[in-house]
Amino acid sequence: MTTIEPETSGASATAAAAPGAAPADAPRTTPAERPSDGEHLLSTRDVSVLYGDNRALKPTTLDFDAGTVTALIGPSGCGKSTFLRCINMMNREIPHCRVEGHIWYGGVDVNAPDTDLYEVRRRIGMVFQQPNPFNKSIYDNIAFAPRRHGVKGRKQLDQLVEESLRGAALWDEVKDDLHKSGRALSGGQQQRLCIARTLALHPDVILMDEPCSALDPIATLAIEQTVRDIVATGICVIIVTHNMEQAARVSDRTAFFYLGEMVETGPTAHLMKMPKDQRLSDYLTGRFS
Amino acid sequence: MSSASNVTSESPGTPTAVGQAVEPAAGASGSGPKPGRGSSDAGLRAQGVAPKRRVEVRGKVLTGACVAVVAALVVALIVMICGQGVQTFTKDGVPFSKFLFGTAWNPTRTDADGVPYVGALPMIAGSFSVTLLSCLFALPFALGSSIFVVEVAPRFGTRIFRPVTEVLVGIPSVVFGMIGLYVIVPLIRSIVGGTGYGIMSASIVLAVMILPTVTSLSIDAIASVPESYREGSLGLGCTRWQTIVHVVLPSALPGILTAIVLGMTRAFGEALAVQMVIGSGGASVMPTSLFKAATTLTSVITMNIGNQAQGTLYYDALWSLAMVLLVMSLLFILIVRLIGRKGSVKND
């Protein structure tokens, strides 16, 4: 059990977020007044995952700040996606999967049995590996979740759709066919539609599970640019990738996972240049993948 | 080029020829003692290839013949039923509209214009009523249980529910008819009075009969909705129920429609169970109540075909009823196909 204390260098980013913990059922917040749990927007403390008796993730302690991108890197099957899926409790949908430890967000432990799962997922959005827009129009793909969460007015929805599509840098490409099927878009556009879909709920955090693994290099760059744009509005992005260059391009901080263990974390540039752990330096030099 | 490659066996142009020659020899030496390993290359080629090729040809001929038989059967059935069915209109000179929309059925008599009473509308109406009603009864249960076993309790679904529905599919229709006769008919009689026979009883019996088919196909349809759709919706903070209603069911709709139409096909064509509980209403009585005895296309055919001499008008008219059944079931299948194609386009 090696949990390396993260060196908290996200101070500059944290400064952007207003201090003071917000209650769990606070109304939607604008980027300027995001809730934060003391110093960090989101903190995991000894989070581990068990599938039956099989421990897929060893206790992991990490902090995430508003307005930053954290990359989770490591070879396939090393637990980075498993960790990501703890944060919005998607692991609860998997039978026999148990999550231990604490996930502090907005002053509450997400991993407590009485947490409002749906509110957590509204505030902590998720973008998946395969673009998975619904079998609906572009407009309905975005309006879908706000409607379920009680946004009714047509005007309000129109505005939300435009704002979200602009946020995901997709508005100019699709503004004339909002009623075309979301699945008729290209792969990269579909993925940006999925990002727009999560933006429509005004999340604090967006989890991205290898969002570019099914995309070509140009679409990948577009997504990465979108990620930087989103983060500039004060959202915290946690992105799983096994592409080192992508982590270097897009992230402020990086955490390296290996065999179900969070091995090392730190500012991305620092980590890439001077890895402390032998396993990370092996990974960086491509001695295994 | 070809002659050169035949001479030099290691030429890159002849990998297939070499492969064919060597592979059968190796296979033959493993399975049968006949082709010797020590014989020359030419001998290997001659002895090794021939038996395999003969098996190939035999296989092709056998399977092709099966296809030919099935295809011939289908074509023959359609041709025969239609050929007999149209006799009413060609040989006996009954106008098609009188047959389809006439409400009087008594083929041994003729009306004032000399046209026989072969109005099939009451039976067609009866058939459609029991079909639609039975689907209406079966659908909520089929849909509800398939949602439950796919979305709520998948282990219970695959281990218990699925096998049980499969057993139900196999129960002969006469058994359903008997249960209807001894349970449904008295029940209806005690609730609404009358004889208890009628469209309502038949629809309930048919609903139970088609329930397993519709359920099992609906389960397939719902289970085939990509998991990523569900994850996308759950990841947006939607509840399980919202996900089912707004994401899963719309995506599964083509499959569910297919299930319904196939259920309708079965209900439409069912004769025995229906006949046992629908009572013996006059074939020329338009169904006016769900609780009065009525007739369907199938019940009129089964009750009368044995008593009519070949070549009589009555006999021809019964074949026309069979033709209506055939055309309707072909239409149902066509609908299923169209839905399937549309669904596959939508779900890419």
Side-chain angles (χ1 to χ4, degrees):
Chain A
M1 191 201 112
T2 37
T3 48
I4 293 161
E5 257 319 300
E7 344 157 22
T8 46
S9 77
S12 59
T14 319
D25 53 349
R28 283 176 195 182
T29 49
T30 59
E33 45 182 48
R34 283 177 190 288
S36 70
D37 178 27
E39 208 176 345
H40 302 291
L41 176 65
L42 181 80
S43 303
T44 68
R45 291 288 173 265
D46 291 333
V47 168
S48 67
V49 178
L50 292 107
Y51 291 113
D53 294 328
N54 178 19
R55 193 175 285 272
L57 180 71
K58 292 177 188 167
T60 301
T61 294
L62 281 171
D63 293 309
F64 305 95
D65 296 308
T68 64
V69 179
T70 305
L72 310 181
I73 61 167
S76 306
C78 65
K80 52 197 194 305
S81 287
T82 304
F83 173 71
L84 193 77
R85 281 161 171 267
C86 291
I87 297 174
N88 67 346
M89 287 282 107
M90 279 306 272
N91 282 341
R92 287 235 178 120
E93 308 302 331
I94 302 167
H96 311 298
C97 177
R98 209 164 77 244
V99 179
E100 290 173 348
H102 304 286
I103 300 163
W104 293 106
Y105 165 69
V108 293
D109 184 1
V110 171
N111 193 26
D114 59 343
T115 306
D116 181 352
L117 208 62
Y118 309 113
E119 184 57 20
V120 164
R121 288 184 188 155
R122 185 189 71 68
R123 295 197 198 186
I124 304 179
M126 188 158 203
V127 176
F128 296 85
Q129 189 167 3
Q130 289 288 333
N132 60 346
F134 301 125
N135 201 351
K136 300 174 188 293
S137 71
I138 294 169
Y139 185 97
D140 286 335
N141 257 286
I142 293 170
F144 172 78
R147 276 189 190 129
R148 304 287 92 75
H149 290 278
V151 180
K152 284 277 180 315
R154 178 81 195 178
K155 247 175 93 182
Q156 216 177 338
L157 283 173
D158 285 348
Q159 197 189 345
L160 205 53
V161 168
E162 176 171 350
E163 172 195 308
S164 309
L165 283 171
R166 282 191 193 282
L170 194 59
W171 175 252
D172 291 329
E173 291 162 56
V174 301
K175 66 180 174 210
D176 295 323
D177 18 45
L178 288 178
H179 296 282
K180 221 168 73 174
S181 167
R183 299 188 78 76
L185 297 171
S186 73
Q189 286 175 324
Q190 286 190 19
Q191 197 61 296
R192 274 180 286 150
L193 179 61
C194 292
I195 294 174
R197 193 168 74 176
T198 57
L199 287 178
L201 294 171
H202 300 297
D204 294 327
V205 182
I206 298 181
L207 311 173
M208 298 190 178
D209 191 356
E210 299 193 32
C212 304
S213 65
L215 304 180
D216 63 60
I218 291 168
T220 299
L221 284 178
I223 298 279
E224 287 171 5
Q225 188 54 49
T226 309
V227 168
R228 290 313 314 183
D229 294 345
I230 292 169
V231 167
T233 67
I235 291 173
C236 166
V237 171
I238 306 173
I239 183 169
V240 165
T241 176
H242 54 225
N243 179 338
M244 297 303 305
E245 287 77 31
Q246 181 168 69
R249 281 192 301 265
V250 83
S251 72
D252 303 299
R253 295 179 62 79
T254 296
F256 172 63
F257 285 72
Y258 184 62
L259 295 179
E261 182 183 343
M262 204 280 295
V263 174
E264 190 172 345
T265 180
T268 303
H270 187 79
L271 197 83
M272 300 257 176
K273 247 180 264 158
M274 285 179 284
K276 277 183 243 144
D277 196 282
Q278 186 58 41
R279 287 166 291 184
L280 176 55
S281 72
D282 284 351
Y283 183 67
L284 290 172
T285 50
R287 231 161 284 171
F288 60 82
S289 59
Chain B
M1 157 79 204
S2 61
S3 63
S5 61
N6 275 341
V7 175
T8 55
S9 61
E10 63 271 82
S11 138
T14 57
T16 49
V18 171
Q20 273 177 359
V22 172
E23 192 194 85
S29 69
S31 57
K34 232 169 78 182
R37 222 178 216 285
S39 51
S40 71
D41 239 23
L44 262 185
R45 189 171 290 224
Q47 290 175 344
V49 172
K52 273 231 159 160
R53 193 162 289 163
R54 215 178 297 139
V55 170
E56 283 276 290
V57 171
R58 206 182 295 154
K60 261 183 206 164
V61 168
L62 266 174
T63 50
C66 293
V67 169
V69 168
V70 171
L73 250 169
V74 171
V75 172
L77 261 171
I78 294 175
V79 167
M80 185 188 170
I81 293 173
C82 290
Q84 287 273 7
V86 296
Q87 299 259 312
T88 315
F89 315 112
T90 53
K91 196 185 81 190
D92 307 312
V94 176
F96 188 62
S97 60
K98 279 249 165 128
F99 169 76
L100 210 55
F101 301 112
T103 54
W105 174 265
N106 193 354
T108 50
R109 308 275 289 274
T110 54
D111 63 10
D113 303 332
V115 178
Y117 290 110
V118 288
L121 193 60
M123 296 159 241
I124 294 174
S127 279
F128 271 99
S129 331
V130 292
T131 303
L132 292 176
L133 264 181
S134 60
C135 280
L136 214 62
F137 293 154
L139 187 61
F141 296 99
L143 214 52
S145 50
S146 47
I147 288 171
F148 182 81
V149 299
V150 177
E151 303 289 338
V152 183
R155 267 167 68 89
F156 165 77
T158 47
R159 295 174 96 187
I160 298 167
F161 192 76
R162 233 17 217 282
V164 168
T165 53
E166 271 152 27
V167 167
L168 278 176
V169 171
I171 294 178
S173 57
V174 66
V175 176
F176 282 108
M178 282 168 73
I179 293 168
L181 206 56
Y182 288 105
V183 179
I184 308 292
V185 170
L187 191 73
I188 298 281
R189 189 187 299 144
S190 67
I191 293 172
V192 294
T195 58
Y197 294 97
I199 289 174
M200 182 56 91
S201 304
S203 302
I204 293 171
V205 169
L206 274 182
V208 177
M209 247 182 84
I210 65 172
L211 188 62
T213 313
V214 180
T215 307
S216 136
L217 288 168
S218 299
I219 290 176
D220 290 341
I222 291 173
S224 72
V225 173
E227 199 53 41
S228 66
Y229 285 24
R230 293 185 187 91
E231 279 194 326
S233 174
L234 293 173
L236 289 165
C238 298
T239 63
R240 215 154 242 281
W241 184 244
Q242 287 174 329
T243 303
I244 291 167
V245 173
H246 296 283
V247 176
V248 175
L249 287 185
S251 298
L253 194 61
I256 294 170
L257 286 176
T258 304
I260 297 168
V261 177
L262 282 178
M264 283 173 79
T265 313
R266 192 162 178 220
F268 197 75
E270 175 54 36
L272 202 52
V274 174
Q275 201 191 323
M276 287 168 83
V277 296
I278 203 167
S280 44
S284 47
V285 181
M286 276 300 278
T288 51
S289 161
L290 295 181
F291 306 104
K292 274 188 192 151
T295 50
T296 62
L297 290 164
T298 49
S299 64
V300 170
I301 295 174
T302 46
M303 278 192 294
N304 295 301
I305 194 77
N307 308 325
Q308 305 308 326
Q310 269 191 33
T312 60
L313 171 71
Y314 205 131
Y315 183 82
D316 292 342
L318 290 176
W319 276 101
S320 300
L321 297 184
M323 186 174 72
V324 172
L325 276 172
L326 179 79
V327 169
M328 282 313 302
S329 57
L330 289 180
L331 214 65
F332 283 137
I333 298 293
L334 196 72
I335 293 170
V336 170
R337 284 286 164 134
L338 287 178
I339 292 170
R341 195 171 307 161
K342 199 168 165 241
S344 66
V345 170
K346 264 179 85 183
N347 267 343
D348 53 58

